[in-house]
Amino acid sequence: MNKFTEQEAQQLIAGKLTRYFGVSPSEASREQIYKAVVMSVRDIMLEKRQAFHLKMKKAKAKRVYYLCMEFLMGRSLKNSVYNLGIGKPLSKALKSFGVTLEDLYEEEPDAGLGNGGLGRLAACFLDGLATQNYPAMGFSICYQYGLFKQKIVDGWQIELPDVWLPGGEAWLTQRTDKQFIVRFDGELEEKWTDHGMETVYYNAREVEAVAYDMMVSGADSEAVSVLRLWRARPVQKFDMQLFSQGNYAEVMRDEGEAELISKVLYPSDNHSEGKSLRLKQQYFLVSASLQCIVSDHKRRYGSLNLLPEMAAIHINDTHPALAVPELMRILLDENYYEWDTAWNITTATLAYTNHTVLAEALETWAEDLIARRLPRIHGILKEINRRLCDDLWRRFPGDWDKISRMSILSHNTVRMANLSIVGSHSVNGVSELHSEIIKNSIFRDFYEYTPEKFTNVTNGIAHRRWLNQSNPELCALLNDCIGEGYAKDASRLAEFAKFDKDESVLKRIGEIKRIKKEQFAEYAKKKQGIAIDPNTVFDVQAKRMHEYKRQLLNALHIISCYNALRDDPNLDVLPKTYIFGAKAAAGYDMAKQIMKLICFLAEDIRRNPDPRIREKLNVVYMENYNVTMSEALMPASEISEQISLAGKEASGTGNMKFMINGALTIGTLDGANVEMAERVGTDNIFIFGLKADEVDEVWRNGYNSSSYYNQDAELRRIIESLIVGFNGCSFAEIANYLLRKSPVADPYMCLADYESYTRTQHKMSELYRNDPTDWNRKSLRNIAAAGYFSADRSVRDYATRIWGLKRLDK
Ligand code: 26Q
């Protein structure tokens, strides 16, 4: 049963209500109906998955296993209903129960098992893979608490625990048949056995990994991707000896320690901290997943000789890089392969994607920590490193500096990127620019060593989620103009470009944007009690709060607009609402300061006694930005802020979500913005600022903020305003930060790009006021050019260039 009729849906749901809650549909609460519906949808997916699984087995199809510490899934019900094509019968069935499908969607908590871009990309890939019938599984951790809930009190971020499981559990199927033991600590001994010299590992602390599966159905396809989430629990054998000796506390402590591993997601984004618990999480994910993959493979094929032919295992950023030594451990210790054979199997199976060039995000671990927590893995790492250095010595004799830079172990640190590159057959960046940068800078030595490993796959988004499901109004127009084919083949959005002279289509684009703005204004009112005027232009920056993303640059421009209006409240300017949505890592002070500035600036404007100012300038900081909010926000946005310092944003994916909903981008030539500009044409995107190579040059010659300050009266006035402050609070510290000199100068050079940014902002305002039809035309061209940035295309690129994966329908 892949689908159901209205009557079947009714029966199915009523059955669940009786069996699980002992209520009839008329007695059931909304929450109970929600759960009954989820169970019914899950049943359909389980059956669909089973059928696909059978097909996979028969075809002996190669599979991809995507290892990632984060999967930012958001809500599942709407997506599943859309992808399974069961919206109509389900809506009708629910009518008789007195609820709407929309009501039920609101019952679902976001599965926020990720920080931002990297985690959301993983979630988008599961959708793209299933829709195109690729055999795929994701592996991650079943965090009891996902990314914190954000409250903002007096401009300051407060982090609250994200309790998602009571409502989110309904999507998880516990797999009691999939349990593995993961070992930490303990000691090693070398012993002679029947297999020769063997390493015996004893006195280890054991933790059990239990699988919980979440399914992602493809859209109008046969496949279902499975996301397997591991939960940690103490091994069932209770230490009776300790217990009977009265050491209750010790017994209980061991139990708690095991569960701690899957307790909470680390909330830092693009920043690595060497915490022991994080290391345990990473190894826990890697070990459980590889044991699972290997045991499945052996059940099917007997030995591991064919692993690279049948399995592609992806290391998503360096977080699961311990997959390299762990796969080696399984091959050597548990399957008695010789080192060279084991190494060939490992490197042919693994592939690695880099997601950032920021130095603080490049993962390293203290070697003694790894030696203590993972003694066997440490032994294998030393051997990998020894052989690597031997080979490097042969290739680059005498070049000690190079060899030392490329080694995996050095000065009590383990370099996870070096490990990932050496242990994989493929290394890629996530946009063309980023892939070039890694070859020329951070991984240059490795590019010279093994150039054939390096490639690019530009990121993409689940366009069905951000276009079809979030913006049905725009889809109605698209369907009228080009039919519905773009849902499964996003490249067909290009056909929309033909309508760029059709006045009635351009007009409808404007009307649809207006409707989405009204809907978002209502959402903001309901969520946060904030008034937003849909007659103003919505200029949006929604992404993690980070210095390199330069929310501060945006704030500087707003301050300048505010100053102009304070000077002359009658100024004839385009009325705008600047909307921000961003969480900051809990310990990231500068990010929190910038957040506070924006909130205080917003409040200052709101409290300005002059309504002429308030009507023309509004700043809104949306609390707790998450996937669900972004689904409401993207379609309502007119201006998309993608203003990172060129060279720092690996790709960006929010940029693509705005674009496909017809927002016009103001952005630097960074990450995927470069490819967006190439595709949409430079007339239809607003590019400003230094280019990546210019950034390097300015920085090399010594970035001097005061030269910009001295030349620009407007900038001086902004800095002055920061010092005077907003809403009774001075932001002199930020003023200082912007003006600091080398060697502590602002690494993201806000002032260097300010003039160009503000000029471009004005250019956009002029266009919006003087030629709204042309604005809509540019909007149309953005929608038409966004097809390339679908996750469907992205995973196809991975499948052909990296994984050697075939669609099961071909
Ligand atoms: C590492 C070690 C310890 C604790 C945390 C971390 C950690 C966690 C998350 C390090 C980095 C991240 C996330 C990085 C990330 O989201 N990168 C983004 O990836 C997107 C998808 O490729 C890109 O579009 C963005 O440009 C990139 O910033």
Side-chain angles (χ1 to χ4, degrees), residues 84-356:
L84 292 166
I86 54 173
K88 276 202 183 116
L90 191 55
S91 293
K92 284 192 194 153
L94 289 172
K95 223 177 226 154
S96 64
F97 300 163
V99 292
T100 68
L101 204 43
E102 293 294 328
D103 290 338
L104 296 189
Y105 293 155
E106 295 307 311
E107 286 290 312
E108 185 176 352
D110 269 41
L113 310 182
N115 276 286
L118 166 137
R120 184 54 231 178
L121 185 78
C124 286
F125 281 3
L126 292 182
D127 187 281
L129 286 161
T131 297
Q132 297 173 100
N133 290 321
Y134 286 113
M137 272 184 89
F139 282 101
S140 194
I141 292 177
C142 191
Y143 301 106
Q144 192 182 339
Y145 302 103
L147 184 62
F148 64 83
K149 268 215 161 75
Q150 179 192 53
K151 281 261 165 234
I152 301 179
V153 180
D154 292 331
W156 201 252
Q157 170 177 285
I158 310 284
E159 299 91 22
L160 298 174
D162 165 51
V163 184
W164 73 285
L165 275 174
E169 218 151 40
W171 291 103
L172 301 176
T173 309
Q174 188 180 357
R175 295 293 302 262
T176 41
D177 55 326
K178 303 282 178 194
Q179 300 184 4
F180 299 92
I181 301 286
V182 180
R183 293 182 176 80
F184 298 94
D185 300 350
E187 284 135 280
L188 298 179
E189 203 182 314
E190 307 253 284
K191 253 194 191 156
W192 271 103
T193 68
D194 298 346
H195 299 288
M197 188 65 120
E198 238 191 289
T199 307
V200 199
Y201 182 17
Y202 62 98
N203 268 347
R205 280 179 205 262
E206 298 189 333
V207 175
E208 191 162 37
V210 193
Y212 288 80
D213 284 358
M214 201 182 222
M215 281 165 298
V216 180
S217 168
D220 187 24
S221 74
E222 289 176 54
V224 175
S225 301
V226 172
L227 172 57
R228 182 153 293 165
L229 300 171
W230 299 107
R231 217 168 99 178
R233 68 172 187 207
V235 174
Q236 279 313 318
K237 66 174 195 266
F238 199 70
D239 194 331
M240 215 46 218
Q241 207 184 347
L242 272 182
F243 192 74
S244 56
Q245 286 165 2
N247 290 330
Y248 304 127
E250 207 169 316
V251 176
M252 294 304 156
R253 195 203 58 207
D254 280 1
E255 301 229 323
E257 258 178 32
E259 277 164 2
L260 205 55
I261 293 179
S262 55
K263 198 53 106 193
V264 61
L265 167 77
Y266 272 83
S268 43
D269 172 89
N270 274 306
H271 186 85
S272 156
E273 293 164 279
K275 294 269 172 10
S276 170
L277 180 59
R278 169 79 181 187
L279 178 69
K280 280 194 192 172
Q281 290 186 331
Q282 295 185 349
Y283 183 65
F284 176 72
L285 164 65
V286 159
S287 181
S289 308
L290 288 179
Q291 289 183 58
C292 180
I293 295 165
V294 162
S295 72
D296 273 2
H297 180 90
K298 280 173 74 173
R299 202 171 42 240
R300 253 191 303 278
Y301 302 104
S303 85
L304 292 173
N305 296 345
L306 288 179
L307 189 69
E309 279 72 37
M310 306 317 292
I313 302 178
H314 207 80
I315 307 178
N316 205 31
D317 216 298
T318 54
H319 318 153
L322 291 172
V324 178
E326 176 66 3
L327 187 50
M328 285 299 284
R329 183 190 68 77
I330 294 173
L331 290 160
L332 297 168
D333 297 0
E334 294 179 3
N335 295 274
Y336 311 109
Y337 280 89
E338 296 290 332
W339 182 279
D340 288 327
T341 320
W343 186 246
N344 289 340
I345 293 176
T346 298
T347 52
T349 306
L350 298 176
Y352 155 62
T353 299
N354 171 277
H355 292 265
T356 181

